[in-house]
Amino acid sequence: MKEQSAQAAPASSFLGKAGPLVLARLFTAGLTASIPLVLARVLSLEEYGTYYQLFLIATTLYMVLPFGVVQSLYYFVPRADEKRPWLVQTLVFMAGAGLLGAALVWGLLGPVARSFDNPALLEHRAALAAYTALLIGAFPLEISLTSQGRTKQSALVYLVSDVLRSTAMVVPCLLGAGLHGLMLSVVGFAGLRCVATWLVVPRGSSGPLMRASLWREQLLYAAPFGAAMLLAVPQQNAHFYVVAGAVAPAVYALYRVGCFQLPVVDLLYTPTSEVLMVRLGELEKQGRLEEGVVAFREAAGKLAFAFLPLAAFLFAAAPEFISALFGAKFLPAVSIFRVSVLGVVLAILPMDGVLRARGHTRAIFFSYLIKAAVTVPLLWLGVRHFGMMGGVVSWVLAEVVGKGTLLARVPAALSTPERPLRVRDLIPWRELGKASLAAVAAAVAVFLLRASTHHAWTGLPEGFLYRALPLALAGALFLVGYMGVLHATGVRPLSVLASLRSRRAS
């Protein structure tokens, strides 16, 4: 009986391993989210729009050029006896990818600046090229640690890195150095990350530095996912590029505020998906893959209790949220913001992690191909006829199509000959139902609060504390309502939070 309990405990509590990662991200989420909030106050609308355009370019290359090689560590490292070849050849590949990214920035920033009708981008060409190269080179740092099960060390690296990044971006602007000072500062930060990556990643691993047969195997595994990223990232950012080319930088700043999302994906989805991938690799190695569907439902259920209320609150309290965090000048972005928060709901099911863990990367590519095909006509029609609102709606519709395509392939990835699965077997219906009921009820309460107290907030001073007062009141009401309805349906919210903490099997 004790042996059975010891074997069952990891399957039911594997999500606890994500605890250090979640807590580290929780601590730094406020810092990360504060970056655009601070910059919105110290930069002009034109500079703010230019800032978003610069980092749009860097982020696109950062997500595309790794070509799935770094993410392949989640598949190979848990299964490997000698881990060093996988780690070192990943470092070498990313160094080359970083140099390619710098060359692309240098060569293509001119045409991009003309497309965006923003010559100010060219003033930051050298800094953007260096930042892109160094940031891409440092991509494997946290992932290499997580893939080895060293979640505490990975959490510490996330913590330190996010603090340094936030400091590097905010302090120069607060000191009056403007966007130029910010760009130079982030180059220094990316350089430190790159050096740390080469020092930390290979440490403690065994085996040769590289092995040609493993290198080919890694590239073959990563290629479908990498090709998918070549489609997915440009597709996901396409609405930003199209809107940037259609409006002035100052108006583009409004659009980016409307598309602002709290770092919930980094905070909960990413570490949960990462640990789920490692767990599925362990189950496969132990011949217990039939337990994979239980792990998936557990992860999705916990994410539902977090993401559904977040989306509902942001939708209901959008005016208070935008006014408090960005200022009244950004209130025209409220309608765009309410559409964009629907993307939070689509992050409940960690489907891409399951498909990568099971080697079904071609399914991911197929999903992104469909999304790309859908995005082009949606954006063309949406932005042409409905402007910025058409841009954000086209993004949401494409995401729904892509998630549906992924969901259709997950049952095959988790099925075994003894237990074939269907889509309905994957969904944590009870958790979704209870979380939805509580979130909707609490959101209705926020709408009623605004209707009854709207005139009470007129004439308040412009200070942040006064602007934050309506948001704080709406947040308190929503939290009490959500927790109360959950409690009435038999859910103990504190137990859900406790399940995300790191636990040791007794």
Side-chain angles (χ1 to χ4, degrees):
M1 293 294 291
K2 289 183 179 180
E3 291 181 358
Q4 292 177 351
S5 299
Q7 291 179 350
S12 62
S13 64
F14 85 97
L15 201 56
K17 294 181 180 180
L21 293 174
V22 172
L23 291 177
R25 292 300 184 89
L26 178 62
F27 183 82
T28 59
L31 292 175
T32 302
S34 70
I35 293 172
L37 311 185
V38 174
L39 298 183
R41 287 172 169 77
V42 298
L43 299 177
S44 66
L45 279 176
E46 290 76 12
E47 276 192 313
Y48 196 50
T50 300
Y51 149 77
Y52 267 123
Q53 290 174 356
L54 287 168
F55 282 86
L56 172 64
I57 296 166
T59 301
T60 300
L61 295 173
Y62 176 76
M63 298 303 295
V64 167
L65 293 180
F67 204 66
V69 170
V70 178
Q71 292 87 343
S72 72
L73 294 177
Y74 290 126
Y75 181 83
F76 290 109
V77 171
R79 296 165 169 81
D81 296 323
E82 294 182 331
K83 306 181 187 302
R84 183 176 296 164
W86 304 106
L87 300 172
V88 173
Q89 60 201 29
T90 299
L91 288 176
V92 173
F93 181 90
M94 293 309 298
L99 293 176
L100 176 59
L104 290 173
V105 168
W106 193 268
L108 298 179
L109 192 60
V112 171
R114 288 191 294 273
S115 175
F116 289 177
D117 195 20
N118 187 7
L121 292 173
L122 296 176
E123 300 174 9
H124 310 284
R125 182 188 302 213
L128 183 63
Y131 172 71
T132 301
L134 294 168
L135 195 67
I136 292 174
F139 196 137
L141 183 53
E142 294 88 354
I143 291 178
S144 66
L145 296 172
T146 304
S147 65
Q148 298 176 71
R150 297 161 62 184
T151 53
K152 291 183 179 179
Q153 293 91 328
S154 181
L156 179 60
V157 172
Y158 273 123
L159 180 65
V160 174
S161 181
D162 284 351
V163 170
L164 290 177
R165 174 176 172 268
S166 301
T167 303
M169 297 186 74
V170 169
V171 170
C173 294
L174 292 177
L175 295 178
L179 186 57
H180 179 71
L182 182 155
M183 292 303 298
L184 294 179
S185 181
V186 296
V187 169
F189 158 75
L192 289 176
R193 261 189 66 89
C194 197
V195 171
T197 300
W198 279 86
L199 293 175
V200 171
V201 170
R203 187 177 181 181
S205 58
S206 61
L209 291 179
M210 297 181 70
R211 187 173 285 164
S213 60
L214 300 184
W215 181 231
R216 289 193 298 270
E217 185 179 355
Q218 187 175 14
L219 286 179
L220 287 173
Y221 171 87
F225 180 71
M229 290 297 99
L230 287 174
L231 289 172
V233 176
Q235 176 275 324
Q236 194 168 17
N237 291 330
H239 66 115
F240 291 134
Y241 284 98
V242 173
V243 172
V247 301
V251 180
Y252 180 70
L254 293 175
Y255 184 74
R256 290 305 300 256
V257 167
C259 294
F260 173 79
Q261 300 223 344
L262 291 171
V264 290
V265 173
D266 280 342
L267 177 62
L268 288 176
Y269 180 90
T270 300
T272 299
S273 182
E274 290 171 352
V275 174
L276 176 61
M277 291 173 65
V278 175
R279 177 60 182 162
L280 291 176
E282 294 171 347
L283 289 173
E284 181 181 358
K285 189 175 183 179
Q286 298 166 9
R288 299 160 54 200
L289 185 58
E290 68 278 358
E291 299 177 27
V293 65
V294 178
F296 179 83
R297 283 201 300 261
E298 180 189 1
K302 299 300 186 297
L303 292 177
F305 282 119
F307 288 174
L308 284 173
L310 177 63
F313 173 71
L314 292 177
F315 186 91
E320 293 83 0
F321 182 84
I322 295 294
S323 179
L325 271 66
F326 293 95
K329 66 181 179 181
F330 289 101
L331 281 175
V334 165
S335 58
I336 295 172
F337 180 74
R338 278 182 166 151
V339 176
S340 71
V341 298
L342 298 178
V344 177
V345 179
L346 300 178
I348 290 174
L349 302 177
M351 297 172 291
D352 52 343
V354 171
L355 295 173
R356 290 204 302 270
R358 296 288 296 128
H360 290 223
T361 50
R362 287 183 177 84
I364 299 176
F365 175 79
F366 180 70
S367 168
Y368 293 153
L369 180 62
I370 292 178
K371 279 207 302 182
V374 169
T375 296
V376 173
L378 283 177
L379 269 179
W380 186 79
L381 292 172
V383 176
R384 183 179 181 182
H385 295 286
F386 302 102
M388 293 191 296
M389 180 59 70
V392 70
V393 169
S394 70
W395 171 75
V396 171
L397 292 177
E399 287 298 305
V400 171
V401 171
K403 293 292 185 181
T405 306
L406 287 177
L407 182 59
R409 304 301 295 269
V410 173
L414 292 177
S415 292
T416 62
E418 297 78 18
R419 187 181 182 187
L421 299 172
R422 293 165 293 184
V423 169
R424 66 185 184 187
D425 299 321
L426 307 173
I427 308 300
W429 296 107
R430 181 176 300 179
E431 290 83 355
L432 280 178
K434 293 182 178 181
S436 299
L437 175 63
V440 170
V444 169
V446 171
F447 275 110
L448 294 176
L449 174 67
R450 181 185 302 112
S452 60
T453 62
H454 177 70
H455 297 291
W457 308 119
T458 57
L460 284 177
E462 287 298 320
F464 171 75
L465 292 178
Y466 291 101
R467 292 198 310 270
L469 186 59
L471 179 64
L473 184 59
L477 177 62
F478 185 94
L479 181 62
V480 171
Y482 180 70
M483 302 285 258
V485 175
L486 282 185
H487 194 275
T489 59
V491 177
R492 299 299 177 262
L494 293 180
S495 67
V496 175
L497 293 176
S499 68
L500 294 175
R501 297 174 56 189
S502 179
R503 301 191 298 268
R504 294 183 179 179
S506 57

